[in-house]
Amino acid sequence: MSGDEAGPVLRPGDAETFREVWRGVGSTVALIATEHGPQRHAMLATAVSSVSMEPPSLLVCVNRTASAHGALRARGAFSLGIMGSPQRDLAAAIAQAPSAARFDHGTWRQMRTGGDAVEGLPWLEEAQATLFCAIDVCHDYGTHSVLIARIAGAIGARETDPLLYCDGGYGRFVVGEG
């Protein structure tokens, strides 16, 4: 095939193209919550990924304009609730609520562990599982902060019905045949 034959058109690597293409990538919905001083902060996120099993750790990307950003960096710890598909309406209510009203939705608890980094963190009882995380690394890149956090503890159980977010809507995973 010669270089002058028609093929796919290379689109620009700009924000508009990236946003359009990336909307087709589904991700598990995670609820990130922290407390710093007298304020509690919560936000939904899909930019979450495991990093390592030794040490157990994960990566979270948070827009620096997010209302929870400053508190996450200052506190250096957060809870990460993995939302299940039965919590679709609860997740949507939290996402749509103004920052100050997000804790009006669901049953919120406070971690009591005896004084380590995750002491006092808020967590949502309805989440299928919650990881309690201490931030080890924070790196600013573009519009976001990339947080790498080690897992300090977990509650809940492994579930197989996570809430997914793709193309602007919520859904669930269905195991295919074959």
Side-chain angles (χ1 to χ4, degrees):
M1 183 170 180
S2 67
D4 60 353
E5 292 182 30
V9 175
L10 181 63
R11 295 167 58 190
D14 59 10
E16 181 180 333
T17 301
F18 179 56
R19 185 178 300 108
E20 181 184 324
V21 171
W22 204 251
R23 281 184 63 97
V25 176
S27 298
T28 301
V29 177
L31 176 61
I32 297 169
T34 194
E35 181 178 63
H36 181 64
Q39 297 288 328
R40 296 185 300 173
H41 301 270
M43 61 178 278
L44 291 179
T46 55
V48 176
S49 181
S50 64
V51 172
S52 173
M53 291 298 149
E54 291 299 330
S57 52
L58 53 80
L59 172 146
V60 177
C61 297
V62 178
N63 194 313
R64 289 198 306 272
T65 64
S67 60
H69 180 267
L72 284 165
R73 289 197 65 167
R75 171 67 192 261
F78 58 90
S79 66
L80 185 135
I82 300 165
M83 301 301 286
S85 66
Q87 285 75 45
R88 179 197 172 285
D89 292 341
L90 176 57
I94 292 169
Q96 294 167 1
S99 297
R102 292 181 183 156
F103 289 90
D104 295 343
H105 303 279
T107 308
W108 288 89
R109 304 287 185 218
Q110 197 169 24
M111 177 49 61
R112 297 290 179 213
T113 62
D116 61 3
V118 300
E119 175 72 25
L121 286 175
W123 59 278
L124 184 68
E125 186 175 285
E126 289 87 351
Q128 67 182 22
T130 301
L131 300 171
F132 295 89
C133 307
I135 299 170
D136 282 338
V137 175
C138 183
H139 180 74
D140 290 339
Y141 188 85
T143 58
H144 285 62
S145 288
V146 179
L147 311 175
I148 297 177
R150 69 187 138 70
I151 310 305
I155 57 173
R158 177 180 170 255
E159 296 285 335
T160 58
D161 194 13
L163 180 62
L164 302 177
Y165 187 80
C166 184
D167 199 23
Y170 295 103
R172 65 189 328 165
F173 176 75
V174 177
V175 178
E177 294 183 32

